[in-house]
Amino acid sequence: MIRIGLAALSAPPSIPAGVEKLLSVLRDCGRQGVDIVCSPETYLPGLRGADFDLPQPDQAAVATALRELRMGCRENGVAVIIGMEWATDLGLENRAFVISASGWVLGHQTKNQITPGGESEHYVPDGKRRTFRVKGVTFGISICHESWRYPETVRWAAVRGAKILFQPQVTGSDREDLAYGPGTGRRARKWGESFYEKAMVCRAGENGIYFASVNQAMRYQNSATSLIDPRGELVDYLPYGKEDVLVADIDVAQATRLYAKRYNPAWYPEA
């Protein structure tokens, strides 16, 4: 068993304010015995190219935030997946860092399939995919648009042993006129009606793994922070717009990866 937390948080007014909120989440998760908690996509400082009013990229500020969160993980004994932007030689990356309960950076996953339009004007891919291990459990990360439109990003991790796929995301808006994403037609009102929530079910069921999706808390969400089991059934979700942490115990033995293990890439030769 592994206990996970999915932290649906509202947009922070600043990077330091976001760090304080995350440290509060870590303290609360430590008291609840959570093993790993996941934040929304690029929570620090926010998703660039969306409708958020963000300052210019500040590498020094996010590097300081990463150090403070490492200390917070160590002090509370909780691992974290934290979304933040990060400046590299390639350009500005949309990353999800993985920090262990001992405060070590285990690595990161960069968003490679970047949403066309606003996001693609700000972020660059690094072209790499990775899996991670916490408490002996292998998991992968596929960031927002990657999971919605490119199921291969989830299958990649499942084939390589992932029992859980974490999806940090930002899907929706605090402005009603911007809330309707491509392919939705209208914002979500009941769980399971939106394209995005249907995609969550598919990603879990088609791979035989848990799918843990964490959306930012917004006024007009197109999908809920949700946990789907390996059969493609909803375990739990948070109401749209509610800032909260969904805590759940995962029986990893149920994640058989049946269909992922049967995948044979030889049957799909490159053109």
Side-chain angles (χ1 to χ4, degrees):
M1 302 290 292
I2 184 171
R3 178 168 288 184
I4 69 169
L6 307 180
L9 305 175
S10 58
S14 66
I15 291 175
V19 170
E20 284 304 312
K21 185 170 287 190
L22 287 163
L23 291 175
S24 177
V25 168
L26 287 172
R27 288 190 290 270
D28 185 55
C29 285
R31 289 190 290 268
Q32 295 187 65
V34 171
D35 295 305
I36 183 168
V37 60
C38 183
S39 82
E41 177 184 10
T42 52
Y43 185 66
L44 302 175
L47 182 62
R48 209 168 290 278
D51 67 308
F52 309 113
D53 184 17
L54 299 176
Q56 291 297 309
D58 188 340
Q59 181 60 24
V62 292
T64 297
L66 186 62
R67 288 194 297 270
E68 293 175 348
L69 290 169
R70 290 179 62 189
M71 289 188 290
C73 288
R74 184 166 61 247
E75 291 169 358
N76 295 283
V78 180
V80 70
I81 300 169
I82 172 61
M84 60 173 61
E85 59 184 28
W86 198 262
T88 73
D89 291 340
L90 297 173
L92 192 64
E93 294 182 16
N94 175 339
R95 286 186 173 186
F97 280 98
V98 181
I99 307 173
S100 76
S102 300
W104 294 102
V105 176
L106 301 180
H108 68 271
Q109 178 60 59
T110 295
K111 187 176 187 177
N112 290 309
Q113 295 286 174
I114 301 172
T115 311
E119 284 183 51
S120 61
E121 296 174 2
H122 297 281
Y123 298 119
V124 298
D126 75 352
K128 299 176 182 178
R129 304 217 68 83
R130 303 167 177 91
T131 59
F132 310 88
R133 285 175 68 84
V134 166
K135 290 201 70 176
V137 177
T138 301
F139 63 90
I141 300 170
S142 178
I143 301 173
C144 198
H145 179 72
E146 294 188 310
S147 299
W148 304 140
R149 309 297 179 176
Y150 301 91
E152 299 86 352
T153 61
V154 181
R155 174 60 51 89
W156 187 94
V159 166
R160 287 159 179 80
K163 298 297 187 86
I164 309 170
L165 193 290
F166 287 96
Q167 186 207 30
Q169 55 146 317
V170 173
T171 309
S173 176
D174 279 319
R175 290 175 50 185
E176 189 169 18
D177 60 322
L178 296 178
Y180 312 126
T184 59
R186 59 189 176 89
R187 69 183 173 93
R189 297 184 184 276
K190 179 181 178 183
W191 197 94
E193 289 184 344
S194 77
F195 158 81
Y196 302 105
E197 289 158 354
K198 292 173 182 176
M200 294 179 194
V201 169
C202 291
R203 298 300 90 81
E206 68 198 8
N207 289 293
I209 62 173
Y210 288 92
F211 191 89
S213 183
V214 191
N215 200 1
Q216 186 167 294
M218 295 171 284
R219 292 179 64 198
Y220 304 104
Q221 289 183 209
N222 285 330
S223 66
T225 291
S226 309
L227 176 62
I228 316 298
D229 74 14
R231 297 170 297 178
E233 297 183 2
L234 176 66
V235 176
D236 202 358
Y237 73 97
L238 294 176
Y240 305 117
K242 183 179 182 181
E243 190 174 46
D244 201 354
V245 180
L246 191 164
V247 175
D249 291 320
I250 298 285
D251 180 2
V252 293
Q254 300 300 314
T256 63
R257 301 185 299 113
L258 173 64
Y259 299 108
K261 288 190 291 187
R262 295 187 73 247
Y263 172 68
N264 187 341
W267 295 344
Y268 306 95
E270 295 184 6

